[in-house]
Amino acid sequence: MIVCLAALLCLSGCGLVALPFRVAGDVVKVVPVVGGPVGGPIHAVGDAIDP
């Protein structure tokens, strides 16, 4: 129970909003040719939301 509460505290606020951008950026980066240039800015949005 304590571990679950600690995880929720880490994901509260801006971190929860930034998570989809970070995950999408990481998934897009796997695409061979265009992954780096396209995934980088998407991941950067997540970083901008949750510094």
Side-chain angles (χ1 to χ4, degrees):
M1 186 65 155
I2 293 173
V3 173
C4 289
L5 289 174
L8 288 175
L9 286 175
C10 292
L11 291 176
S12 66
C14 296
L16 187 60
V17 175
L19 183 64
F21 291 102
R22 290 182 176 159
V23 170
D26 290 338
V27 168
V28 171
K29 282 184 181 180
V30 177
V31 177
V33 176
V34 296
V38 175
I42 295 172
H43 200 278
V45 171
D47 291 339
I49 292 172
D50 188 28

